[in-house]
Amino acid sequence: MQSPHGVGIEAISVCVPRYWLPLTALAEANGVEPAKYAVGLGVEGMAVTHPNEDAVTMAVEASDALLKRYDIDRHSIGLLVVGSETGVDAAKPIAAYVHGLLGLPFACRTLDTKHACYSATAALALARDWCAGSGRGRKALIIATDIARYEVGSAGEPTQGAGAVAMLVGDHPSVFVFEPYREAFFARHVMDFWRPHYRSTAIVDGPASVESYLAALESTYADFERHSGLGWDDFEYLLFHVPFPKMACKAFKLLYEREVARRNGSGMTQALGEAFESRTVPSLWPNRAMGNLYSGSLYASLAGLLERGDGSVEGARAGLFSYGSGCCGEFFSGRVGPDAAAWRGKIDIAGQIKRRTRLDYTGYISFREQSARLAEEGSHTGGAVPGGHFGRVAFLGIKDHQRVYESSPRPAVSDTPFLPAYNASAHTGK
Ligand code: COA
């Protein structure tokens, strides 16, 4: 039976990596005018992962914070889906590592979803249907976790970043309520962005990806409008996948101009810039500071809107556009929960950004090189890289073809007996 409260997000949390590089330092190293990155792309900084951070550790950090800050009983979780482009194994999902490291119950379905930056939206759709149907009141933990990495010196390099967003989906959504059946899809086989198994960096045809993104937006928005009966005036906020903030600007402009054309050029109450400022800019600050989170970009914006939003955010309707290269796009909508107490003070993106350590260009390159070495078989020789164990869990390298994670404290619930099978020596917790 459908819950009277609807289905949606009950809790949201973001992991911001501990290090960052100002884009001015990257511009200087690449011999590029800093305004190209700051204004042309709209990025101020990018999150840089420490060698002991990977897609698994960020997923665990985001989820651990979520469980603690929202006081969630982990035994209520019956579905764990991780959306990611940054898989750590061709067969074993990130979700399996996260399940063990968080100590989630055995009665839990675990899997990863993949479609570049769209993956977490696919995971949310799965969770939404499960919670509305066979979930029987249990919760779904959905995590978007990625490291956006391109070649050094490439056009994509200033649009790197990293981070994870954890969302608890259930039938008592106080953070964000999905509007039922108002969603629209677009898929087309296109080689705009991909990452072969043998590479740690993505290959991208930038202009093709921008074009494909906008084509998917135009198609899904039109479809959404047609089937939902909702239109431009119904949205207080419009949130987009944000590979770089200027892309959100291009996306917004497309929808605005489409609406102007629909009204034969008259009847818009706000100019383009003003409309963008009120409907989209309030959500973009995490993206400007962290860069591209791939699967988590859209949801970092949602978290950003909630964290900084004043009273007017409560109950507001937002339209969300998700895009994954390759490609798949989706437009859907929802309403922010009616009571900000449900999330206010619990997300802490700004606090994490403030506590970050700034790298210089040499430090950024050094982290990249050390990360590449730790991804090799036999790289695990001991503890963390200096400065590396700062959170709940650290990736220590690979031994006997198994990834080694050090967890502190050790997972406490019934799953613990299985942990030594993949990670015996590394657990040092209580
Ligand atoms: N001051 C201000 N703006 C400047 C500038 C300067 N000195 N120099 C250039 N710019 C502007 C350009 O006019 C352009 O703006 P526009 O897009 O509004 O026309 C913008 O900066 C980017 O310049 P461009 O020459 O197109 O950049 P690029 O060739 O280096 O590539 C991307 C930009 C986004 C295509 C590239 O970073 C990329 O491939 N990123 C990864 C893929 C991606 O994120 N795709 C998005 C869809 S998922």
Side-chain angles (χ1 to χ4, degrees):
M1 196 181 80
Q2 183 75 41
S3 159
H5 311 280
V7 170
I9 301 172
E10 297 186 3
I12 187 165
S13 182
V14 178
C15 164
V16 179
R18 307 301 202 285
Y19 293 88
W20 72 290
L21 180 71
L23 266 281
T24 46
L26 187 66
E28 191 187 346
N30 287 347
V32 169
E33 174 69 35
K36 174 172 177 181
Y37 296 167
V39 181
L41 299 176
V43 203
E44 287 157 12
M46 66 189 195
V48 180
T49 46
H50 183 277
N52 294 127
E53 285 178 305
D54 68 2
V56 172
T57 68
M58 292 189 299
V60 171
E61 299 293 347
S63 307
D64 196 52
L66 179 128
L67 296 174
K68 285 185 183 134
R69 291 196 195 128
Y70 293 82
D71 195 22
I72 289 156
D73 173 9
R74 62 194 69 208
H75 292 96
S76 67
I77 297 170
L79 175 67
L80 166 63
V81 190
V82 177
S84 183
E85 178 272 7
T86 321
V88 295
D89 190 287
K92 190 177 171 83
I94 293 171
Y97 289 98
V98 173
H99 179 267
L101 288 161
L102 284 178
L104 295 183
F106 294 135
C108 184
R109 183 181 283 157
T110 58
L111 66 141
D112 285 2
T113 50
K114 178 167 73 177
H115 198 142
C117 306
Y118 173 70
S119 57
T121 303
L124 275 179
L126 182 66
R128 192 174 53 204
D129 289 348
W130 182 76
C131 289
S134 59
R136 291 179 280 111
R138 287 171 295 170
K139 313 293 178 197
L141 177 58
I142 303 303
I143 310 168
T145 180
D146 269 311
I147 301 171
R149 197 178 278 146
Y150 299 95
E151 287 294 297
V152 169
S154 69
E157 191 183 27
T159 62
Q160 296 180 136
V165 182
M167 292 169 277
L168 191 79
V169 178
D171 58 7
H172 281 72
S174 42
V175 174
F176 193 74
V177 189
F178 299 126
E179 295 193 288
Y181 313 119
R182 289 174 180 171
E183 52 187 25
F185 315 105
F186 176 91
R188 180 173 67 177
H189 176 45
V190 50
M191 296 301 283
D192 59 336
F193 166 104
W194 66 103
R195 185 170 68 80
H197 279 308
Y198 51 82
R199 286 175 65 109
S200 63
T201 52
I203 302 168
V204 63
D205 178 342
S209 71
V210 171
E211 191 191 315
S212 181
Y213 176 118
L214 293 176
L217 172 63
E218 190 159 23
S219 172
T220 54
Y221 184 78
D223 201 21
F224 178 87
E225 239 186 3
R226 207 166 31 247
H227 292 111
S228 68
L230 296 175
W232 182 259
D233 288 334
D234 296 306
F235 298 112
E236 276 96 345
Y237 296 99
L238 283 165
L239 274 53
F240 303 95
H241 167 51
V242 190
F244 53 96
K246 184 73 169 290
M247 190 68 229
C249 191
K250 290 177 194 284
F252 188 90
K253 184 165 180 275
L254 183 145
L255 296 189
Y256 183 90
E257 287 175 350
R258 183 180 178 282
E259 186 62 19
V260 171
R262 202 181 65 81
R263 297 181 187 200
N264 291 322
S266 66
M268 298 299 276
T269 51
Q270 291 176 306
L272 171 62
E274 195 190 339
F276 181 61
E277 278 294 320
S278 68
R279 294 189 187 205
T280 300
V281 168
S283 64
L284 289 178
W285 61 273
N287 312 86
R288 286 196 205 289
M290 294 168 71
N292 195 355
L293 280 74
Y294 284 164
S295 60
S297 291
L298 173 62
Y299 302 103
S301 289
L302 177 62
L305 176 71
L306 297 172
E307 184 171 323
R308 285 266 173 91
D310 54 22
S312 64
V313 173
E314 291 152 56
R317 175 180 281 124
L320 286 81
F321 174 66
S322 174
Y323 174 79
S325 290
C327 75
C328 189
E330 181 170 339
F331 193 97
F332 61 105
S333 69
R335 280 190 185 275
V336 176
D339 179 10
W343 68 84
R344 190 146 291 153
K346 295 178 180 164
I347 304 178
D348 191 35
I349 307 173
Q352 292 181 78
I353 287 174
K354 206 169 156 196
R355 293 191 291 276
R356 295 188 299 184
T357 302
R358 179 186 169 127
L359 291 172
D360 59 16
Y361 182 77
T362 311
Y364 150 67
I365 293 294
S366 166
F367 274 11
R368 278 184 78 120
E369 290 170 355
Q370 290 180 72
S371 295
R373 282 199 291 278
L374 271 196
E376 303 276 328
E377 161 59 14
S379 63
H380 173 56
T381 51
V385 172
H389 205 325
F390 26 60
R392 168 74 166 69
V393 63
F395 167 58
L396 299 185
I398 299 176
K399 185 180 180 185
D400 300 331
H401 300 286
Q402 297 181 43
R403 299 180 79 81
V404 179
Y405 291 93
E406 183 176 62
S407 174
S408 173
R410 189 176 177 148
V413 299
S414 52
D415 304 55
T416 305
F418 279 143
L419 286 169
Y422 69 88
N423 196 9
S425 58
H427 287 271
T428 58
K430 298 167 197 153

PDB file of all heavy atoms in Angstrom, residues 33 35-36 39-41 150 155-156 158-159 204-207 209-210 213 241 243-244 246-247 250 292 323 325, ligand 1:
ATOM      1  N   GLU A  33      44.634  31.545 -18.569  1.00  0.00           N
ATOM      2  CA  GLU A  33      44.070  32.720 -17.898  1.00  0.00           C
ATOM      3  C   GLU A  33      43.115  32.246 -16.788  1.00  0.00           C
ATOM      4  O   GLU A  33      42.160  31.498 -17.067  1.00  0.00           O
ATOM      5  CB  GLU A  33      43.305  33.523 -18.962  1.00  0.00           C
ATOM      6  CG  GLU A  33      42.505  34.704 -18.503  1.00  0.00           C
ATOM      7  CD  GLU A  33      43.364  35.846 -18.014  1.00  0.00           C
ATOM      8  OE1 GLU A  33      44.457  36.062 -18.583  1.00  0.00           O
ATOM      9  OE2 GLU A  33      42.925  36.494 -17.048  1.00  0.00           O
ATOM     10  N   ALA A  35      40.659  33.409 -15.318  1.00  0.00           N
ATOM     11  CA  ALA A  35      39.234  33.719 -15.545  1.00  0.00           C
ATOM     12  C   ALA A  35      38.550  32.637 -16.377  1.00  0.00           C
ATOM     13  O   ALA A  35      37.336  32.455 -16.292  1.00  0.00           O
ATOM     14  CB  ALA A  35      39.090  35.072 -16.231  1.00  0.00           C
ATOM     15  N   LYS A  36      39.331  31.911 -17.168  1.00  0.00           N
ATOM     16  CA  LYS A  36      38.697  30.842 -17.962  1.00  0.00           C
ATOM     17  C   LYS A  36      38.072  29.791 -17.043  1.00  0.00           C
ATOM     18  O   LYS A  36      36.951  29.335 -17.278  1.00  0.00           O
ATOM     19  CB  LYS A  36      39.706  30.184 -18.898  1.00  0.00           C
ATOM     20  CG  LYS A  36      39.099  28.997 -19.620  1.00  0.00           C
ATOM     21  CD  LYS A  36      39.956  28.414 -20.704  1.00  0.00           C
ATOM     22  CE  LYS A  36      39.249  27.186 -21.287  1.00  0.00           C
ATOM     23  NZ  LYS A  36      40.007  26.530 -22.320  1.00  0.00           N
ATOM     24  N   VAL A  39      35.419  31.972 -14.423  1.00  0.00           N
ATOM     25  CA  VAL A  39      34.230  32.538 -15.075  1.00  0.00           C
ATOM     26  C   VAL A  39      33.731  31.629 -16.201  1.00  0.00           C
ATOM     27  O   VAL A  39      32.558  31.277 -16.269  1.00  0.00           O
ATOM     28  CB  VAL A  39      34.544  33.958 -15.635  1.00  0.00           C
ATOM     29  CG1 VAL A  39      33.310  34.555 -16.297  1.00  0.00           C
ATOM     30  CG2 VAL A  39      35.076  34.862 -14.537  1.00  0.00           C
ATOM     31  N   GLY A  40      34.662  31.195 -17.057  1.00  0.00           N
ATOM     32  CA  GLY A  40      34.280  30.380 -18.214  1.00  0.00           C
ATOM     33  C   GLY A  40      33.677  29.041 -17.816  1.00  0.00           C
ATOM     34  O   GLY A  40      32.746  28.555 -18.464  1.00  0.00           O
ATOM     35  N   LEU A  41      34.216  28.436 -16.749  1.00  0.00           N
ATOM     36  CA  LEU A  41      33.671  27.153 -16.278  1.00  0.00           C
ATOM     37  C   LEU A  41      32.900  27.315 -14.965  1.00  0.00           C
ATOM     38  O   LEU A  41      32.130  26.435 -14.578  1.00  0.00           O
ATOM     39  CB  LEU A  41      34.797  26.126 -16.080  1.00  0.00           C
ATOM     40  CG  LEU A  41      35.612  25.771 -17.340  1.00  0.00           C
ATOM     41  CD1 LEU A  41      36.759  24.817 -16.976  1.00  0.00           C
ATOM     42  CD2 LEU A  41      34.745  25.131 -18.412  1.00  0.00           C
ATOM     43  N   TYR A 150      40.726  13.294 -15.025  1.00  0.00           N
ATOM     44  CA  TYR A 150      41.123  13.340 -16.429  1.00  0.00           C
ATOM     45  C   TYR A 150      42.641  13.416 -16.489  1.00  0.00           C
ATOM     46  O   TYR A 150      43.321  13.551 -15.463  1.00  0.00           O
ATOM     47  CB  TYR A 150      40.498  14.558 -17.126  1.00  0.00           C
ATOM     48  CG  TYR A 150      38.976  14.563 -17.120  1.00  0.00           C
ATOM     49  CD1 TYR A 150      38.259  15.255 -16.142  1.00  0.00           C
ATOM     50  CD2 TYR A 150      38.259  13.865 -18.089  1.00  0.00           C
ATOM     51  CE1 TYR A 150      36.868  15.257 -16.132  1.00  0.00           C
ATOM     52  CE2 TYR A 150      36.860  13.859 -18.087  1.00  0.00           C
ATOM     53  CZ  TYR A 150      36.174  14.556 -17.105  1.00  0.00           C
ATOM     54  OH  TYR A 150      34.795  14.558 -17.092  1.00  0.00           O
ATOM     55  N   ALA A 155      41.895  19.264 -21.377  1.00  0.00           N
ATOM     56  CA  ALA A 155      40.800  20.244 -21.240  1.00  0.00           C
ATOM     57  C   ALA A 155      39.859  19.859 -20.100  1.00  0.00           C
ATOM     58  O   ALA A 155      39.232  20.720 -19.478  1.00  0.00           O
ATOM     59  CB  ALA A 155      40.027  20.337 -22.552  1.00  0.00           C
ATOM     60  N   GLY A 156      39.772  18.566 -19.825  1.00  0.00           N
ATOM     61  CA  GLY A 156      38.869  18.115 -18.758  1.00  0.00           C
ATOM     62  C   GLY A 156      39.425  18.345 -17.361  1.00  0.00           C
ATOM     63  O   GLY A 156      38.670  18.349 -16.379  1.00  0.00           O
ATOM     64  N   PRO A 158      40.398  20.837 -15.432  1.00  0.00           N
ATOM     65  CA  PRO A 158      39.774  21.785 -14.490  1.00  0.00           C
ATOM     66  C   PRO A 158      38.354  21.406 -14.087  1.00  0.00           C
ATOM     67  O   PRO A 158      37.778  22.040 -13.211  1.00  0.00           O
ATOM     68  CB  PRO A 158      39.776  23.107 -15.281  1.00  0.00           C
ATOM     69  CG  PRO A 158      39.856  22.698 -16.715  1.00  0.00           C
ATOM     70  CD  PRO A 158      40.679  21.452 -16.733  1.00  0.00           C
ATOM     71  N   THR A 159      37.801  20.375 -14.721  1.00  0.00           N
ATOM     72  CA  THR A 159      36.451  19.925 -14.317  1.00  0.00           C
ATOM     73  C   THR A 159      36.534  18.614 -13.527  1.00  0.00           C
ATOM     74  O   THR A 159      35.611  17.813 -13.551  1.00  0.00           O
ATOM     75  CB  THR A 159      35.517  19.770 -15.541  1.00  0.00           C
ATOM     76  OG1 THR A 159      36.044  18.775 -16.431  1.00  0.00           O
ATOM     77  CG2 THR A 159      35.363  21.062 -16.300  1.00  0.00           C
ATOM     78  N   VAL A 204      37.151  12.028 -22.848  1.00  0.00           N
ATOM     79  CA  VAL A 204      35.950  12.841 -23.052  1.00  0.00           C
ATOM     80  C   VAL A 204      36.052  13.651 -24.336  1.00  0.00           C
ATOM     81  O   VAL A 204      37.122  14.155 -24.685  1.00  0.00           O
ATOM     82  CB  VAL A 204      35.705  13.771 -21.830  1.00  0.00           C
ATOM     83  CG1 VAL A 204      36.842  14.760 -21.638  1.00  0.00           C
ATOM     84  CG2 VAL A 204      34.389  14.507 -21.939  1.00  0.00           C
ATOM     85  N   ASP A 205      34.948  13.711 -25.041  1.00  0.00           N
ATOM     86  CA  ASP A 205      34.796  14.651 -26.152  1.00  0.00           C
ATOM     87  C   ASP A 205      33.918  15.767 -25.587  1.00  0.00           C
ATOM     88  O   ASP A 205      32.688  15.661 -25.574  1.00  0.00           O
ATOM     89  CB  ASP A 205      34.131  13.924 -27.333  1.00  0.00           C
ATOM     90  CG  ASP A 205      33.887  14.863 -28.517  1.00  0.00           C
ATOM     91  OD1 ASP A 205      33.905  16.093 -28.320  1.00  0.00           O
ATOM     92  OD2 ASP A 205      33.655  14.352 -29.629  1.00  0.00           O
ATOM     93  N   GLY A 206      34.585  16.803 -25.044  1.00  0.00           N
ATOM     94  CA  GLY A 206      33.888  17.857 -24.300  1.00  0.00           C
ATOM     95  C   GLY A 206      32.705  18.460 -25.050  1.00  0.00           C
ATOM     96  O   GLY A 206      31.567  18.442 -24.550  1.00  0.00           O
ATOM     97  N   PRO A 207      32.939  18.999 -26.247  1.00  0.00           N
ATOM     98  CA  PRO A 207      31.816  19.625 -26.969  1.00  0.00           C
ATOM     99  C   PRO A 207      30.667  18.644 -27.222  1.00  0.00           C
ATOM    100  O   PRO A 207      29.493  18.998 -27.099  1.00  0.00           O
ATOM    101  CB  PRO A 207      32.466  20.076 -28.285  1.00  0.00           C
ATOM    102  CG  PRO A 207      33.921  20.268 -27.935  1.00  0.00           C
ATOM    103  CD  PRO A 207      34.238  19.207 -26.910  1.00  0.00           C
ATOM    104  N   SER A 209      29.845  16.153 -25.340  1.00  0.00           N
ATOM    105  CA  SER A 209      29.134  15.888 -24.079  1.00  0.00           C
ATOM    106  C   SER A 209      28.213  17.053 -23.731  1.00  0.00           C
ATOM    107  O   SER A 209      27.104  16.836 -23.222  1.00  0.00           O
ATOM    108  CB  SER A 209      30.120  15.594 -22.939  1.00  0.00           C
ATOM    109  OG  SER A 209      30.805  16.755 -22.551  1.00  0.00           O
ATOM    110  N   VAL A 210      28.645  18.258 -24.013  1.00  0.00           N
ATOM    111  CA  VAL A 210      27.784  19.423 -23.747  1.00  0.00           C
ATOM    112  C   VAL A 210      26.540  19.363 -24.643  1.00  0.00           C
ATOM    113  O   VAL A 210      25.406  19.545 -24.180  1.00  0.00           O
ATOM    114  CB  VAL A 210      28.565  20.737 -23.976  1.00  0.00           C
ATOM    115  CG1 VAL A 210      27.635  21.944 -23.926  1.00  0.00           C
ATOM    116  CG2 VAL A 210      29.691  20.887 -22.940  1.00  0.00           C
ATOM    117  N   TYR A 213      24.249  16.488 -23.500  1.00  0.00           N
ATOM    118  CA  TYR A 213      23.597  16.892 -22.246  1.00  0.00           C
ATOM    119  C   TYR A 213      22.376  17.759 -22.554  1.00  0.00           C
ATOM    120  O   TYR A 213      21.273  17.529 -22.054  1.00  0.00           O
ATOM    121  CB  TYR A 213      24.635  17.641 -21.406  1.00  0.00           C
ATOM    122  CG  TYR A 213      24.185  18.244 -20.092  1.00  0.00           C
ATOM    123  CD1 TYR A 213      24.743  17.823 -18.891  1.00  0.00           C
ATOM    124  CD2 TYR A 213      23.258  19.275 -20.042  1.00  0.00           C
ATOM    125  CE1 TYR A 213      24.370  18.395 -17.679  1.00  0.00           C
ATOM    126  CE2 TYR A 213      22.873  19.856 -18.838  1.00  0.00           C
ATOM    127  CZ  TYR A 213      23.435  19.414 -17.663  1.00  0.00           C
ATOM    128  OH  TYR A 213      23.063  19.989 -16.470  1.00  0.00           O
ATOM    129  N   HIS A 241      22.443  18.327 -13.284  1.00  0.00           N
ATOM    130  CA  HIS A 241      23.756  17.693 -13.168  1.00  0.00           C
ATOM    131  C   HIS A 241      24.798  18.777 -13.428  1.00  0.00           C
ATOM    132  O   HIS A 241      24.676  19.552 -14.376  1.00  0.00           O
ATOM    133  CB  HIS A 241      23.885  16.553 -14.180  1.00  0.00           C
ATOM    134  CG  HIS A 241      25.284  16.062 -14.326  1.00  0.00           C
ATOM    135  ND1 HIS A 241      26.052  15.704 -13.234  1.00  0.00           N
ATOM    136  CD2 HIS A 241      26.075  15.889 -15.415  1.00  0.00           C
ATOM    137  CE1 HIS A 241      27.244  15.332 -13.652  1.00  0.00           C
ATOM    138  NE2 HIS A 241      27.300  15.436 -14.960  1.00  0.00           N
ATOM    139  N   PRO A 243      28.610  19.109 -14.098  1.00  0.00           N
ATOM    140  CA  PRO A 243      30.007  18.728 -14.344  1.00  0.00           C
ATOM    141  C   PRO A 243      30.935  19.912 -14.076  1.00  0.00           C
ATOM    142  O   PRO A 243      32.084  19.740 -13.689  1.00  0.00           O
ATOM    143  CB  PRO A 243      30.024  18.317 -15.819  1.00  0.00           C
ATOM    144  CG  PRO A 243      28.823  18.973 -16.425  1.00  0.00           C
ATOM    145  CD  PRO A 243      27.807  19.069 -15.332  1.00  0.00           C
ATOM    146  N   PHE A 244      30.415  21.106 -14.307  1.00  0.00           N
ATOM    147  CA  PHE A 244      31.059  22.374 -13.934  1.00  0.00           C
ATOM    148  C   PHE A 244      29.912  23.385 -13.902  1.00  0.00           C
ATOM    149  O   PHE A 244      28.945  23.267 -14.676  1.00  0.00           O
ATOM    150  CB  PHE A 244      32.169  22.762 -14.933  1.00  0.00           C
ATOM    151  CG  PHE A 244      31.735  22.774 -16.365  1.00  0.00           C
ATOM    152  CD1 PHE A 244      31.340  23.951 -16.988  1.00  0.00           C
ATOM    153  CD2 PHE A 244      31.698  21.600 -17.101  1.00  0.00           C
ATOM    154  CE1 PHE A 244      30.914  23.956 -18.312  1.00  0.00           C
ATOM    155  CE2 PHE A 244      31.276  21.589 -18.422  1.00  0.00           C
ATOM    156  CZ  PHE A 244      30.886  22.772 -19.035  1.00  0.00           C
ATOM    157  N   LYS A 246      29.173  26.282 -14.926  1.00  0.00           N
ATOM    158  CA  LYS A 246      28.712  26.964 -16.142  1.00  0.00           C
ATOM    159  C   LYS A 246      27.744  26.086 -16.941  1.00  0.00           C
ATOM    160  O   LYS A 246      26.891  26.590 -17.683  1.00  0.00           O
ATOM    161  CB  LYS A 246      29.942  27.328 -16.989  1.00  0.00           C
ATOM    162  CG  LYS A 246      29.672  28.116 -18.251  1.00  0.00           C
ATOM    163  CD  LYS A 246      29.297  29.557 -17.958  1.00  0.00           C
ATOM    164  CE  LYS A 246      29.278  30.428 -19.205  1.00  0.00           C
ATOM    165  NZ  LYS A 246      30.579  30.707 -19.781  1.00  0.00           N
ATOM    166  N   MET A 247      27.870  24.770 -16.792  1.00  0.00           N
ATOM    167  CA  MET A 247      26.966  23.860 -17.507  1.00  0.00           C
ATOM    168  C   MET A 247      25.533  24.037 -17.007  1.00  0.00           C
ATOM    169  O   MET A 247      24.578  23.988 -17.796  1.00  0.00           O
ATOM    170  CB  MET A 247      27.435  22.411 -17.318  1.00  0.00           C
ATOM    171  CG  MET A 247      26.730  21.401 -18.192  1.00  0.00           C
ATOM    172  SD  MET A 247      27.108  21.567 -19.955  1.00  0.00           S
ATOM    173  CE  MET A 247      25.456  21.534 -20.644  1.00  0.00           C
ATOM    174  N   LYS A 250      24.178  26.979 -18.736  1.00  0.00           N
ATOM    175  CA  LYS A 250      23.761  26.678 -20.121  1.00  0.00           C
ATOM    176  C   LYS A 250      22.419  25.935 -20.106  1.00  0.00           C
ATOM    177  O   LYS A 250      21.548  26.184 -20.941  1.00  0.00           O
ATOM    178  CB  LYS A 250      24.806  25.787 -20.806  1.00  0.00           C
ATOM    179  CG  LYS A 250      26.136  26.457 -21.134  1.00  0.00           C
ATOM    180  CD  LYS A 250      27.076  25.408 -21.749  1.00  0.00           C
ATOM    181  CE  LYS A 250      28.518  25.846 -21.815  1.00  0.00           C
ATOM    182  NZ  LYS A 250      28.816  26.800 -22.867  1.00  0.00           N
ATOM    183  N   ASN A 292      33.617  18.531  -9.979  1.00  0.00           N
ATOM    184  CA  ASN A 292      32.674  17.513 -10.446  1.00  0.00           C
ATOM    185  C   ASN A 292      32.671  16.297  -9.524  1.00  0.00           C
ATOM    186  O   ASN A 292      33.723  15.720  -9.241  1.00  0.00           O
ATOM    187  CB  ASN A 292      33.061  17.082 -11.875  1.00  0.00           C
ATOM    188  CG  ASN A 292      31.959  16.308 -12.568  1.00  0.00           C
ATOM    189  OD1 ASN A 292      30.929  15.995 -11.979  1.00  0.00           O
ATOM    190  ND2 ASN A 292      32.170  16.006 -13.842  1.00  0.00           N
ATOM    191  N   TYR A 323      22.018  13.739 -15.817  1.00  0.00           N
ATOM    192  CA  TYR A 323      22.579  13.323 -17.109  1.00  0.00           C
ATOM    193  C   TYR A 323      23.790  12.440 -16.893  1.00  0.00           C
ATOM    194  O   TYR A 323      24.663  12.753 -16.073  1.00  0.00           O
ATOM    195  CB  TYR A 323      22.998  14.556 -17.937  1.00  0.00           C
ATOM    196  CG  TYR A 323      23.702  14.162 -19.215  1.00  0.00           C
ATOM    197  CD1 TYR A 323      22.971  13.721 -20.322  1.00  0.00           C
ATOM    198  CD2 TYR A 323      25.096  14.197 -19.324  1.00  0.00           C
ATOM    199  CE1 TYR A 323      23.612  13.319 -21.488  1.00  0.00           C
ATOM    200  CE2 TYR A 323      25.737  13.809 -20.487  1.00  0.00           C
ATOM    201  CZ  TYR A 323      24.985  13.364 -21.570  1.00  0.00           C
ATOM    202  OH  TYR A 323      25.623  12.960 -22.725  1.00  0.00           O
ATOM    203  N   SER A 325      26.735  10.578 -19.300  1.00  0.00           N
ATOM    204  CA  SER A 325      27.257  10.418 -20.656  1.00  0.00           C
ATOM    205  C   SER A 325      27.051   8.997 -21.136  1.00  0.00           C
ATOM    206  O   SER A 325      26.991   8.054 -20.355  1.00  0.00           O
ATOM    207  CB  SER A 325      28.745  10.771 -20.685  1.00  0.00           C
ATOM    208  OG  SER A 325      28.904  12.155 -20.507  1.00  0.00           O
TER     209      SER A 325
HETATM  210  N1  COA B   1      37.666  34.505 -19.385  1.00  0.00           N
HETATM  211  C1  COA B   1      36.373  34.101 -19.281  1.00  0.00           C
HETATM  212  N2  COA B   1      35.863  33.046 -19.960  1.00  0.00           N
HETATM  213  C2  COA B   1      36.683  32.374 -20.780  1.00  0.00           C
HETATM  214  C3  COA B   1      38.033  32.730 -20.929  1.00  0.00           C
HETATM  215  C4  COA B   1      38.526  33.850 -20.189  1.00  0.00           C
HETATM  216  N3  COA B   1      39.792  34.246 -20.261  1.00  0.00           N
HETATM  217  N4  COA B   1      38.580  31.877 -21.814  1.00  0.00           N
HETATM  218  C5  COA B   1      37.621  31.019 -22.215  1.00  0.00           C
HETATM  219  N5  COA B   1      36.479  31.315 -21.572  1.00  0.00           N
HETATM  220  C6  COA B   1      35.193  30.632 -21.672  1.00  0.00           C
HETATM  221  C7  COA B   1      34.817  30.248 -23.084  1.00  0.00           C
HETATM  222  O1  COA B   1      34.252  31.319 -23.801  1.00  0.00           O
HETATM  223  C8  COA B   1      33.840  29.126 -22.821  1.00  0.00           C
HETATM  224  O2  COA B   1      32.593  29.667 -22.461  1.00  0.00           O
HETATM  225  P1  COA B   1      31.247  29.160 -23.184  1.00  0.00           P
HETATM  226  O3  COA B   1      31.164  27.687 -22.941  1.00  0.00           O
HETATM  227  O4  COA B   1      30.170  29.930 -22.505  1.00  0.00           O
HETATM  228  O5  COA B   1      31.409  29.472 -24.630  1.00  0.00           O
HETATM  229  C9  COA B   1      34.404  28.449 -21.557  1.00  0.00           C
HETATM  230  O6  COA B   1      35.298  29.402 -20.991  1.00  0.00           O
HETATM  231  C10 COA B   1      35.149  27.171 -21.826  1.00  0.00           C
HETATM  232  O7  COA B   1      36.074  27.432 -22.835  1.00  0.00           O
HETATM  233  P2  COA B   1      36.378  26.340 -23.939  1.00  0.00           P
HETATM  234  O8  COA B   1      37.411  26.883 -24.849  1.00  0.00           O
HETATM  235  O9  COA B   1      35.122  25.817 -24.540  1.00  0.00           O
HETATM  236  O10 COA B   1      37.039  25.253 -22.977  1.00  0.00           O
HETATM  237  P3  COA B   1      37.733  23.897 -23.271  1.00  0.00           P
HETATM  238  O11 COA B   1      37.909  23.597 -24.694  1.00  0.00           O
HETATM  239  O12 COA B   1      38.936  23.959 -22.466  1.00  0.00           O
HETATM  240  O13 COA B   1      36.676  22.790 -22.725  1.00  0.00           O
HETATM  241  C11 COA B   1      35.041  21.647 -21.463  1.00  0.00           C
HETATM  242  C12 COA B   1      35.652  23.008 -21.763  1.00  0.00           C
HETATM  243  C13 COA B   1      33.927  21.809 -20.441  1.00  0.00           C
HETATM  244  C14 COA B   1      34.433  21.063 -22.732  1.00  0.00           C
HETATM  245  C15 COA B   1      36.134  20.713 -20.897  1.00  0.00           C
HETATM  246  O14 COA B   1      36.567  21.208 -19.668  1.00  0.00           O
HETATM  247  C16 COA B   1      35.719  19.288 -20.752  1.00  0.00           C
HETATM  248  O15 COA B   1      35.800  18.504 -21.693  1.00  0.00           O
HETATM  249  N6  COA B   1      35.268  18.865 -19.515  1.00  0.00           N
HETATM  250  C17 COA B   1      34.862  17.504 -19.244  1.00  0.00           C
HETATM  251  C18 COA B   1      33.551  17.102 -19.886  1.00  0.00           C
HETATM  252  C19 COA B   1      32.366  17.744 -19.314  1.00  0.00           C
HETATM  253  O16 COA B   1      32.412  18.235 -18.222  1.00  0.00           O
HETATM  254  N7  COA B   1      31.249  17.697 -20.086  1.00  0.00           N
HETATM  255  C20 COA B   1      30.024  18.327 -19.705  1.00  0.00           C
HETATM  256  C21 COA B   1      28.793  17.516 -19.975  1.00  0.00           C
HETATM  257  S1  COA B   1      28.664  16.075 -18.963  1.00  0.00           S
END
